[in-house]
Structure formats: C-alpha cells, structure tokens
Amino acid sequence: MKKLSIMLVLILLLGGCGYGKDVENQAFVVAVGIDKGKSFPVKATFVFADPNGGGSGGGGEEKPSTPKPDTVTVEAPTVFSALRKIDSIKSKTLNMSHIKIVVFSDEIAKEGIRDYLSGFASSRDFRPNTYVCVSQGDAEKYLKKVKPSHETFIEKYYDNIMSKVAHDKVNEAYLYYLYFNVMEDFSGSLVPLVGINKNEIDKPSSDVSDMYDDFSYEARAGEIVRDAQNPTEVLGCAVFRNDKMIDTLGSFKTDLARIICNEYYPRNYSIAYPTKKEFVTIRLIQKRSPVIDGTVKNGKAHIKVEVPLSIEYIDAGKIENHKNKSAQFCAFLEKTLDREAKELIKDAQSSYRADVLGLGEAVKHQFIDVSAWKKFDWEKKFSNAQIDVSFNVMYADFEEAN
Amino acid sequence: MKTKSGSVSIGIICSCAILSKYLVILPEYMVKLVGNAAWLDVFAKCAIASISLLFVLWLYKPFAPMCLSETFSLACGEGGKIFFSYIYVISLTIFNALLLRLLVEALGTVMATTAPDEFFALFILVPVFVAAYSGTRATINLSAIIFPLLVVTIITVVLALIPHYRVENLFPILGTSTKNLMRGIFVKHFGFPETILLFFFAPMLENYKNIKRAGLLTFLIVALISVSFTLAYCLTVPYPASKNFFLPFYQMTRMIKSGAFLQRLEPIVVFVWTSFVMCSMSILISTSASLLSGSREREKKSAFVPVITIITFFVSMLPSSEGSAFYLYEKLLSYSTFLFPTLPVIILTIARIRRKAAKK
C-alpha cells in the first residue's frame, strides 16, 4: 500500500516534463527596435541570435563562421502584437529572456515611451537589466547596420558596448530605472544615444571645427569622424522630460551630467592648454560622490552641488615643470567645468524644463510627506530654483598634490 | 519540547505561518496606501503586535501551559469551546485557501502560464497533506530544517540588491501622507492571526517561560525579516512605480546582476515562496484538525486532515480570478485582528473573571 501511494505521488511529478523547453526549439530575441509604422502604429524589428554563430563545426582547420543574426521587421498595433505576428513567421518558439537592448527611434521617443516601458516592465519576458537607448533615425536601420568586429555573438556586442555607457550604475540606461523615472509625475532622464555614422574620415558631413578638444567635444552618435568596419556607434544621450524625448546632449555634456549624478566612469581627456593648439591629456576620476545640499527658503529651492574630482596626468604636453603649475591647471579645469555645468543647468531649467540631474531628490528631504512635496510643485519650482555647482579638482597623486 | 530548542522550533513555525503571506502579497499591499513609508508602517505594526502579544501573554499567565481551546471551555463552557474552535478552524482554513490560490497564481505567472491552477494547487497540497498527516511535531521539525535556508536566501537577496539601493527613495519620510500612514498603522491591519498558534501549542512548551520565549522569538524573526525586506523594497523601487510592481519579491530578485554569474536568481524565489507556504499550510491544517478533534494525539486528529485539505483545495478555487482572491484576502486581513488579539483577550479576560469568581 505504501509503495503504491509513493508511486502515485511520483506520478504527479511527471507533470513537470510537460512544460519542458528545448533550446533548439527556441528563437532567442537579442534586440528589439521600435519605429513608427506606416500601415500600423508600430514597426518593430527583432534581432534573433544565431545559435551557430562562430562555431567551426568541429572541423579543426575550418574557419569560424561569421554570426548572421536574423532580423525580422513587422508592423503591428503594439510590440506585443508584433510578437504574435512573428509566431507566424518563425517556426521556433520565441524566447525574450535574453534581450539585451531595446532601441527606440527618436521619432517614437519624441511621442512618448511610457506605454512601451509599462508593457515591458510588467512583462516577465523583458529582464530588468535590459538596456534601453534611442537611435538617431530609424531603429530598424541601426539594428540592421550593426556589424561587430570583435564579438562572435551579436548579443555580446550589445552587452559590451552598452555596459561602457551604463557601467553597472543605477541609471536610466536600464529598462527598470527608466521605467521608474517615467512613472514619476515630473522627471528627467538621460538615455544613451545610438546612431549610424555619417562622418567618414575623408568627407565629414557635419561641422566639427568647434570641437577642438575633449571638453568642447559635443558630438552625438553618428558624428565621430572615423573609418571603421562597424558603421554604428553609441555616444551622447537623449534628454527626456517625463516620457518624451526633447533634445540630445553631446559627448562632454553627457559626461558632465554623469559626474553630477555620480554615475561617471573614469575617462581620458585631451584638453587644449594653455593655447588652443597645445594639448594636455589627463584622466578625470570621480573618487567621491558629489555633495548635494538642498534647502527651501520662501518657497524657492536652493541647491548647492559640490563635485570633488581627481586628475592624473597622462601627457603633460608642453607644460614645463607641470608639478609646480598644478594649482594653476586645476583652477583652469574648475573654471571650465563650472562654466559647462552652468550651461547644462541653464538648459535643463529653461529649454528642457526637466530635472535631468535628479536634483529634486535633494529638495525632497525637506518635505515630510508626498502630499506636501506635491503641493510644493517641483515641476514649476525647478525652473526658478537657485542651483550652484562648483568643482573641486585635485591631483590624484599625493606627491604631485604637494 | 520543554527545552529552549522547543521554544525556538515553535517560534520558527509561528514565524513561517505569519511570514508566508508576507512574501506572497507584501510589501506591495502596504505600499498601495502609505507609499515609500511602507517600512515604517510594517515596523509600527510589528511593534503594536508585539505589545498586544505581551498583553495576551499576561492574561494567559494563570492558565499556562493550558491549550487556548481549554480556556474557551473555562470562559464559555463546552458549547463555547466548540463555537470558538469552529471560528478558528473556519478562519484559518479560509486564510489557508486564499493564500494557496495567491501562491498558485504567482507560480502560474512566473513558471508556466498555460498550466491550470488546479494542477499547481494539487501539486502543493500533496506534500502539505503528508506533512499535516504526519503530525504537528513532524511539521515543526521540518520547518526548523527549512527555515535557516529560507533566511539565508532572503538575506542573500537583500544584500545582493545593495548596489540598487537609493536612499532618496525613502523620502519624503512619511510616505503618501501622514494621515495615510496613521490609517495604515492603526486601521488597515496586516494581521498576525497566526500568532494564535503559539497558544494552541502551549502544552508542548510545558511552562510559561518557554511560551513567552517562543512568542518573543516569533516577533523578533517576523519584525527582522518583514521590516528589512520592506525597507529593501522601498530602497530599490521608488514610489509611485512601487505600487504597480507585480510580485515584488520575484521582480526584485530579477534585478540582481552582480557580474556575469550572479544573476537570474529568481528560481530561488519560487523555492522560498513554496517552502514557506507549505510549512505554514501544513501547520495550520494540523492545528485545525487538532481543534476539530479536540485532541493533540495524531491518531485522533489525522482523520480530519484529509477533510480539511480537500476543503482548502475547493475553497482556494472559488475566487474567479487572482484579483478577486487578492481582494478577498485583503478584506480578511482587515478583520484579522479579531482572531488575534481581540478574541483571545475577550476569552482570557472572561476566563480570568470566572476563575476569580470560582475561587471566592
């Protein structure tokens, strides 16, 4: 009797086999592009992983095959409806759990992406750490142009290139964090910008004469003067007011915003110093978080941001005896950074009218509950807020600092 | 079970029973009303529940280590004992059934959307039935083995989420509004009706000191886990996004990405959910069977275990959807303070008065 009851219980476990999913029967989507359609509201592009990409087939001498990711573009009322249509095209079962990137075209981003993000965030198919970006032009074209030269698998390319932007910090390059931001009544977000290059090394199509050094380099994705196998690039960011894209930021302004938001990763910069034709190369490091202090006086917000930064010399250029001239050079950097930050904040307050640097968080502390905070109306008060940003640049090398 | 380990085991099983619903429906349940101050709300609720437990313990002291059902007969006679025992059996069975349904829906959503709810419910109820049929001690011993694993899992999730914490999410500190927070703490109860188990298991602990120790341990575990987890939730998911965050424990675990190898930990959640609920359901079914049979002997009460299990299954399938199950559960929680501490306070007070009168 006991044996029979144990067997009966074990029979129940066989049910688990009914929902088995074999890898060879699944089509893994690695990237999704969302554009505006002509026949339907949405034109969705899905990039599928090539499971055989890079495999030599065990032939020893045989060259590894180049991965050929399959791309399917469908027009539909929504992205999820497009997925249903893909079922009629693809024989394998769709698997969305390995999506690395969602690309919105700038046209769609300008109309608003809240509905898309809500759908993705509530669907368990999309992972929270999926990268989100905005393409300059069509997302479909961007996804079709991506030709990684180092990675065997395209999903690895997206993972590597986007992690350089996100740096594993909590920011809007990730699906969930952008969704969290967009869900707020008043917010600003900075979303990575991707694009196809149009500035070939011999015939640049846009004017780059003003970008004489890295502090004045305000190029966006697609504007790097270069020659490379992969025509696509990730540079700058799209500025969002709530869920709508309103503008773009160039390379250096993006870095500056990341520094103030404490989402920065060290980079090298070549700066024109002391004249526009001489360059000093430094590594700009953010070792400590910015100190952001917010107060409210007479209904007006006052925010003071102090950003400590360290630098390391990579190449002192033509500065003779640069160790003794460190204070002078640091003062120059502080002045330049202050000026650029002021410009960025002025843009945020007057043209974007979006708290893209998240400075409202510092003022929020002053309020006891959400109703009091809503009554204060940060959306209106942000434009008139007194925001002072100051940079404190020091040498990272202790010996040089002294 | 008169030793310290007995108090620990009883404390653990009571914590399992209380926390099982917490991990399935909370902290989302709290956030809807009080917003980012949910952790304060949970902390205050734990503090109030602890004070009420101490008060009930004080009332109970002269009757220790008597089973609470015996105090029903002291207070209201044999008829009262049957009446109140039935109230507890019915309430605990409905709680159990709705929790089962919520777990089934959650598992269906995250594991196999096409699988019928009945399949999942039966799959969970088979081991629950076996554990309940094996007796209270067997379930207590089983939960004492599983519980440390569950605690380690929760601690791992809370620690792995540290890079995602934003202290700014906790502000404004009092959440949606001060009024809502007060309403949340004092009016909208997240009941601790399962605390009553402590008084049903009292004869196992043999003296008042052990009972008190088990009770305090229960609330220490519940407060530590529920407050730290709600705090982790509030730190990770800002308000208002947090109020629409479906299956928060699962979603939070999905957010963990500590390098290429420490990610996709969400199957752990399924294990935690199921283990907690299985332990909780087994002990509640076993206790209900004890109350119905009026005996703690396994042979006598085991006849009721299959009946209660089958009733639990059918009641769990009554709500038409997950939404209606959640709504019913929420409604029940609003009245859960009746089961603990209101009813025990009334019964124990009457029992004390009658005892004093009898002495005179």
Side-chain angles (χ1 to χ4, degrees):
Chain A
M1 185 63 191
K2 266 187 184 174
K3 278 182 186 172
L4 188 70
S5 42
I6 291 169
M7 278 172 72
L8 280 170
V9 170
L10 286 176
I11 284 170
L12 271 176
L13 296 175
L14 288 174
C17 307
Y19 298 96
K21 289 175 183 174
D22 291 326
V23 177
E24 65 259 33
N25 293 332
Q26 294 188 61
F28 292 96
V29 183
V30 291
V32 179
I34 302 163
D35 291 295
K36 218 173 163 187
K38 283 177 185 163
S39 318
F40 287 94
V42 171
K43 182 170 80 174
T45 305
F46 300 92
V47 180
F48 293 88
D50 175 12
N52 304 315
S56 63
E61 294 270 314
E62 203 180 326
K63 277 185 183 177
S65 62
T66 315
K68 287 174 188 162
D70 184 13
T71 309
V72 181
T73 304
V74 182
E75 285 206 8
T78 65
V79 177
F80 292 98
S81 160
L83 278 169
R84 199 172 63 82
K85 288 184 179 178
I86 296 264
D87 266 336
S88 311
I89 301 164
K90 285 270 174 192
S91 59
K92 292 182 177 182
T93 311
L94 289 187
N95 188 317
M96 313 286 282
S97 65
H98 289 268
I99 293 178
K100 297 290 174 197
I101 191 170
V102 175
V103 187
F104 289 100
S105 70
D106 50 1
E107 196 182 6
I108 284 272
K110 279 171 188 165
E111 283 182 0
I113 56 170
R114 187 192 296 252
D115 292 343
Y116 297 100
L117 292 176
S118 300
F120 297 157
S122 54
S123 157
R124 70 185 179 95
D125 291 333
F126 287 79
R127 295 203 60 81
N129 302 316
T130 304
Y131 295 109
V132 179
C133 57
V134 173
S135 70
Q136 300 248 64
D138 281 0
E140 181 199 1
K141 279 183 190 163
Y142 167 76
L143 290 173
K144 284 183 175 169
K145 284 274 183 184
V146 172
K147 281 185 194 128
S149 47
H150 297 297
E151 290 85 357
T152 314
F153 294 99
I154 194 156
E155 56 271 28
K156 199 70 195 159
Y157 166 78
Y158 289 126
D159 219 0
N160 287 345
I161 194 110
M162 291 309 292
S163 68
K164 282 186 188 174
V165 181
H167 299 299
D168 287 337
K169 304 251 179 158
V170 174
N171 65 36
E172 295 96 36
Y174 294 109
L175 173 67
Y176 266 31
Y177 289 104
L178 183 59
Y179 166 68
F180 294 159
N181 251 20
V182 160
M183 286 299 285
E184 288 191 22
D185 296 334
F186 171 61
S187 66
S189 309
L190 298 173
V191 180
L193 203 60
V194 298
I196 304 164
N197 187 267
K198 49 185 186 269
N199 273 349
E200 282 180 35
I201 208 145
D202 296 328
K203 38 180 180 178
S205 62
S206 57
D207 186 19
V208 288
S209 57
D210 287 343
M211 303 175 188
Y212 54 88
D213 73 355
D214 288 341
F215 272 16
S216 53
Y217 188 68
E218 291 298 352
R220 276 83 171 154
E223 291 175 2
I224 299 175
V225 180
R226 55 82 175 257
D227 183 22
Q229 187 191 325
N230 183 3
T232 62
E233 50 205 47
V234 182
L235 193 70
C237 63
V239 179
F240 275 75
R241 182 175 195 265
N242 299 333
D243 73 325
K244 289 185 177 70
M245 177 184 161
I246 42 173
D247 205 346
T248 55
L249 280 187
S251 163
F252 182 64
K253 284 275 165 49
T254 304
D255 285 353
L256 201 59
R258 298 275 181 234
I259 289 172
I260 297 170
C261 296
N262 197 26
E263 292 164 6
Y264 172 77
Y265 195 77
R267 287 173 198 275
N268 294 348
Y269 294 88
S270 289
I271 302 146
Y273 183 83
T275 65
K276 279 193 175 183
K277 286 179 183 173
E278 292 160 304
F279 292 94
V280 177
T281 307
I282 55 157
R283 188 165 179 78
L284 202 58
I285 307 158
Q286 188 172 26
K287 288 184 178 174
R288 286 184 291 145
S289 312
V291 181
I292 305 175
D293 185 29
T295 50
V296 178
K297 281 175 195 165
N298 303 324
K300 189 178 176 181
H302 296 260
I303 300 166
K304 201 177 168 190
V305 186
E306 284 174 15
V307 190
L309 288 173
S310 309
I311 57 164
E312 279 173 7
Y313 271 119
I314 304 294
D315 177 10
K318 288 180 181 173
I319 312 175
E320 284 177 15
N321 202 2
H322 66 270
K323 284 183 186 177
N324 294 336
K325 291 185 178 176
S326 61
Q328 207 179 335
F329 183 61
C330 282
F332 166 76
L333 288 178
E334 282 171 5
K335 201 178 157 189
T336 314
L337 289 167
D338 281 353
R339 190 187 62 230
E340 294 290 330
K342 268 177 194 153
E343 203 177 296
L344 175 67
I345 286 162
K346 194 185 160 196
D347 284 345
Q349 285 184 301
S350 51
S351 28
Y352 310 151
R353 288 183 294 112
D355 184 9
V356 288
L357 303 174
L359 298 172
E361 303 290 351
V363 187
K364 234 187 204 181
H365 293 74
Q366 305 284 317
F367 298 87
I368 198 148
D369 55 33
V370 174
S371 55
W373 170 241
K374 278 189 175 172
K375 212 174 165 186
F376 177 67
D377 199 357
W378 178 236
E379 189 170 359
K380 278 185 184 167
K381 298 283 166 64
F382 174 68
S383 305
N384 303 321
Q386 172 77 42
I387 302 170
D388 299 314
V389 182
S390 62
F391 287 83
N392 183 15
V393 183
M394 290 189 298
Y395 280 100
D397 190 307
F398 182 75
E399 195 190 336
E400 285 184 17
N402 289 294
Chain B
M1 284 210 184
K2 59 185 171 184
T3 55
K4 273 187 187 176
S5 61
S7 307
V8 173
S9 303
I10 299 285
I12 284 172
I13 195 73
C14 290
S15 314
C16 268
I18 297 169
L19 287 169
S20 58
K21 65 174 175 294
Y22 178 84
L23 289 177
V24 179
I25 66 164
L26 292 176
E28 192 188 9
Y29 168 71
M30 304 292 192
V31 170
K32 273 182 185 159
L33 183 70
V34 297
N36 54 306
W39 68 281
L40 279 177
D41 187 24
V42 175
F43 181 77
K45 280 185 169 84
C46 287
I48 292 168
S50 306
I51 293 165
S52 60
L53 173 72
L54 288 173
F55 182 61
V56 176
L57 277 169
W58 175 76
L59 285 173
Y60 172 77
K61 198 173 180 180
F63 308 104
M66 193 185 281
C67 177
L68 191 70
S69 58
E70 297 302 320
T71 61
F72 296 161
S73 59
L74 280 178
C76 314
E78 275 306 305
K81 183 185 172 180
I82 294 167
F83 177 73
F84 289 121
S85 296
Y86 269 88
I87 285 183
Y88 275 106
V89 169
I90 293 166
S91 314
L92 293 178
T93 307
I94 295 173
F95 264 113
N96 239 358
L98 290 176
L99 184 64
L100 174 68
R101 179 60 187 270
L102 289 173
L103 178 76
V104 161
E105 294 284 354
L107 291 180
T109 310
V110 302
M111 283 169 71
T113 39
T114 51
D117 289 346
E118 292 83 354
F119 175 81
F120 271 119
L122 278 173
F123 196 72
I124 292 164
L125 276 176
V126 169
V128 166
F129 167 73
V130 173
Y133 195 83
S134 308
T136 311
R137 274 169 198 265
T139 316
I140 290 171
N141 291 340
L142 191 68
S143 61
I145 296 166
I146 293 172
F147 193 74
L149 294 174
L150 306 183
V151 171
V152 168
T153 310
I154 291 171
I155 291 172
T156 310
V157 169
V158 168
L159 291 179
L161 278 169
I162 286 176
H164 299 263
Y165 292 163
R166 273 179 171 178
V167 182
E168 294 82 22
N169 290 350
L170 298 182
F171 295 96
I173 196 81
L174 294 184
T176 50
S177 74
T178 317
K179 195 179 146 192
N180 279 352
L181 184 62
M182 290 300 136
R183 239 182 81 209
I185 293 169
F186 296 107
V187 183
K188 202 173 168 77
H189 298 285
F190 160 52
F192 294 83
E194 295 86 357
T195 317
I196 202 73
L197 293 179
L198 184 71
F199 297 94
F200 290 131
F201 297 148
M204 288 181 176
L205 294 165
E206 298 208 348
N207 62 48
Y208 178 74
K209 201 179 158 190
N210 284 338
I211 298 166
K212 194 176 175 183
R213 190 187 287 139
L216 294 177
L217 183 72
T218 302
F219 273 89
L220 184 70
I221 294 170
V222 169
L224 272 176
I225 292 181
S226 56
V227 174
S228 57
F229 193 73
T230 316
L231 187 60
Y233 181 60
C234 293
L235 283 166
T236 317
V237 188
Y239 183 82
S242 55
K243 69 178 176 184
N244 299 321
F245 216 52
F246 181 58
L247 300 175
F249 188 24
Y250 181 77
Q251 299 274 43
M252 280 166 72
T253 317
R254 289 180 81 208
M255 287 167 81
I256 296 170
K257 192 185 176 188
S258 303
F261 296 102
L262 195 67
Q263 55 177 323
R264 296 179 187 259
L265 299 178
E266 56 269 26
I268 290 176
V269 175
V270 177
F271 167 72
V272 173
W273 271 344
T274 321
S275 312
F276 255 87
V277 176
M278 277 179 178
C279 285
S280 163
M281 286 183 70
S282 309
I283 203 68
L284 290 179
I285 288 176
S286 179
T287 310
S288 300
S290 296
L291 285 172
L292 281 179
S293 65
S295 166
R296 284 189 296 113
E297 285 172 37
R298 197 171 78 83
E299 289 76 19
K300 286 184 182 171
K301 73 175 186 185
S302 57
F304 289 95
V305 173
V307 179
I308 299 170
T309 311
I310 291 166
I311 291 171
T312 306
F313 171 73
F314 283 109
V315 173
S316 72
M317 290 300 131
L318 283 179
S320 56
S321 65
E322 188 188 9
S324 55
F326 192 86
Y327 173 78
L328 280 173
Y329 201 76
E330 215 172 325
K331 280 275 164 213
L332 268 180
L333 281 179
S334 308
Y335 299 104
S336 61
T337 38
F338 175 71
L339 297 178
F340 186 87
T342 315
L343 198 54
V345 166
I346 295 167
I347 290 165
L348 289 168
T349 311
I350 296 170
R352 278 183 86 140
I353 293 166
R354 289 191 74 169
R355 196 178 148 121
K356 264 188 185 173
K359 273 184 184 174
K360 277 178 187 174

